[in-house]
Amino acid sequence: MKFVAFERAKQGTGASRRLRNSGRTPGIVYGSTSAPQLIELDHNALWHALKKEAFHASILDMEMNGQTSKVLLRDYQMHPFKQLVQHIDFQRVDANTTLHMKVPLHFSGEEESEAVKTDKCTVTHVATEIEVACLPANLPEFIAVDLKGLTKGNSLHLNDITLPAGCKAITHGKKNPVLVSVVAPVEEEVAAPVAAAAPADAKGKGKGKK
């Protein structure tokens, strides 16, 4: 995915405020062996780019002064209540340096699985992304996860999926976390019919004392 950036000459709170008022967003590019570089981006173009998953999870082509370089989105700050991107950070990509990135999971096929189609189980996506370590050339935009094999009583764990070539999963805590849980439907208990109340004791009914 490609975006256009411009060199930013001035820095400081006042300069950044004037920049935002003119429809631009201040930012910075850092990393590799080069010094950090101040940049600015068109706010409207940036706003729409941030809505795309690929802008967050893939290597980006940044065009500036007629040259293109590879970067990753690392952070951005939003205004507390306005639809305004106040600042954005990018990291330069070195082709020979391993990246640690969170990659989204794209699930499919659960409606065709035995767990859902036959056993009417509830399927919950416990994780929507996983962290991977890989070289920039091997970074996937997303990881496809086929859920057609889900069965009742068996959840899907990290070790159950196949990662793209060159990618290694990074976990924090559990080594094999659950990605998708499968919960069987709760069977409703049918209450036993309540026995009809015995009629009141009619003994002696109609037999008054003589």
Side-chain angles (χ1 to χ4, degrees), residues 65-82:
N65 296 333
Q67 296 184 336
T68 300
S69 55
K70 303 289 186 181
V71 298
L72 287 169
L73 171 63
R74 278 310 189 191
D75 194 18
Y76 64 97
Q77 292 81 46
M78 298 294 300
H79 191 278
F81 55 87
K82 294 181 182 179

Side-chain angles (χ1 to χ4, degrees), residues 77-208:
Q77 292 81 46
M78 298 294 300
H79 191 278
F81 55 87
K82 294 181 182 179
Q83 293 186 338
L84 179 68
V85 186
Q86 294 187 297
H87 194 274
I88 191 160
D89 298 357
F90 295 98
Q91 179 185 345
R92 297 185 185 93
V93 172
D94 182 346
N96 299 313
T97 301
T98 298
L99 299 173
H100 284 241
M101 286 287 294
K102 289 184 178 180
V103 178
L105 301 174
H106 285 191
F107 299 104
S108 64
E110 65 184 71
E111 296 299 327
E112 304 167 40
S113 69
E114 179 184 315
V116 174
K117 198 171 183 179
T118 304
D119 296 313
K120 311 301 180 185
C121 295
T122 299
V123 174
T124 302
H125 300 164
V126 179
T128 57
E129 62 184 14
I130 62 172
E131 185 176 342
V132 302
C134 64
L135 290 175
N138 296 326
L139 179 65
E141 185 175 322
F142 62 87
I143 296 174
V145 182
D146 188 353
L147 301 180
K148 287 197 291 287
L150 288 180
T151 55
K152 181 179 178 180
N154 293 297
S155 296
L156 185 80
H157 291 73
L158 177 60
N159 291 349
D160 298 324
I161 69 172
T162 301
L163 297 178
C167 290
K168 178 184 177 182
I170 305 297
T171 57
H172 304 278
K174 294 183 179 179
K175 293 183 178 181
N176 189 27
V178 174
L179 302 181
V180 177
S181 67
V182 179
V183 180
V186 178
E187 296 182 5
E188 296 184 2
E189 294 184 3
V190 179
V194 179
D201 188 1
K203 186 177 181 180
K205 185 176 181 182
K207 295 182 181 180

